[in-house]
Each structure stands twice: as structure tokens, then as C-alpha cells.
Amino acid sequence: MPVSAEMRRRVRGFLPAGEEIRYIFPASWNETVYFVFVVTDSAVTVLSNRFWSRTRPKRIWHVFPRGVRLGPVETNLIPVFELGGHTFEVEDEYVSVINACDAELDGGDLPRDPFPEL
């Protein structure tokens, strides 16, 4: 399911003034600790959610420079990627978002939008 407008509104409160959200997607550790990854022009901000919540950001967990790669995503049973020494699980529909984040760093063509009707 795409990230809701309400979730985007909540996330903006954690970003520096004037930062525009380029990409946003949820991820988890072992389906128990939930995070929201927010990619802007200058950073990848990882927000931790409230306990057992997927949609209520509580605090900034870590800020990475925009040049950091999020992929590759291993798409075996559950799609996973590694960042900052941690392995995160992500829903299938967000794999293309992660790939687009990395493709943008390469300056190449971005992948096709899998949900153009949204």
C-alpha cells in the first residue's frame, strides 16, 4: 500500500525546513520494530515508529548522507536490504522505490513506476 498523505505529513515534522520528500517507504527489523525511510535531496533520514506502530514516527533513528546506497535488495523469501550494519525487511511493492533511489545516484534512467495510476 502506498504511503498515505497523513504519514507524509507526520514525517515532514522531522525534516529540516524546506526539505522535499523525494522517496518514502516503510521497513522493519524482524517485523517487530518499524521504520520509515525518507529520502530527500540531501539525506536519507530513518525514523523509528512508536512501539508496534507502522505509521506513527517517534524519533529520528539515523541520518545518512544522500550518497548512501540503499540496495541492492535481496528478493528471496522476504525482500531485505542492509544499511548501517542492519538488515531491514521491506514489502515487495517498495523494492522499486529503493531501486529508484539508487538509480538516481547513478544519473541513469529511473525504473518504470510500478503503480502509475496512484
Side-chain angles (χ1 to χ4, degrees):
M1 169 173 10
V3 176
S4 70
E6 178 63 21
M7 175 66 134
R8 290 173 185 270
R9 186 191 62 74
R10 289 179 185 145
V11 164
R12 281 190 184 97
F14 292 93
L15 300 176
E19 284 290 308
E20 193 67 32
I21 298 172
R22 297 200 36 86
Y23 301 96
I24 183 171
F25 63 92
S28 67
W29 279 338
N30 302 321
E31 295 186 7
T32 58
V33 181
Y34 298 98
F35 297 87
V36 178
F37 285 72
V38 185
V39 179
T40 65
D41 285 333
S42 61
V44 176
T45 303
V46 184
L47 304 172
S48 62
N49 285 322
R50 297 182 193 282
F51 192 65
W52 291 107
S53 174
R54 295 176 188 224
T55 61
R56 295 262 183 201
K58 180 179 179 179
R59 66 180 177 90
I60 295 175
W61 179 73
H62 201 288
V63 178
F64 296 93
R66 178 57 186 107
V68 71
R69 290 197 164 287
L70 301 174
V73 180
E74 295 179 25
T75 56
N76 296 329
L77 190 55
I78 296 173
V80 297
F81 65 97
E82 292 187 21
L83 182 63
H86 300 283
T87 301
F88 296 94
E89 299 170 354
V90 67
E91 297 291 328
D92 291 331
E93 68 188 276
Y94 296 108
V95 171
S96 61
V97 174
I98 295 169
N99 291 338
C101 290
D102 288 348
E104 192 174 81
L105 293 175
D106 296 335
D109 292 333
L110 296 178
R112 181 184 65 79
D113 183 354
F115 303 104
E117 67 280 357
L118 298 178

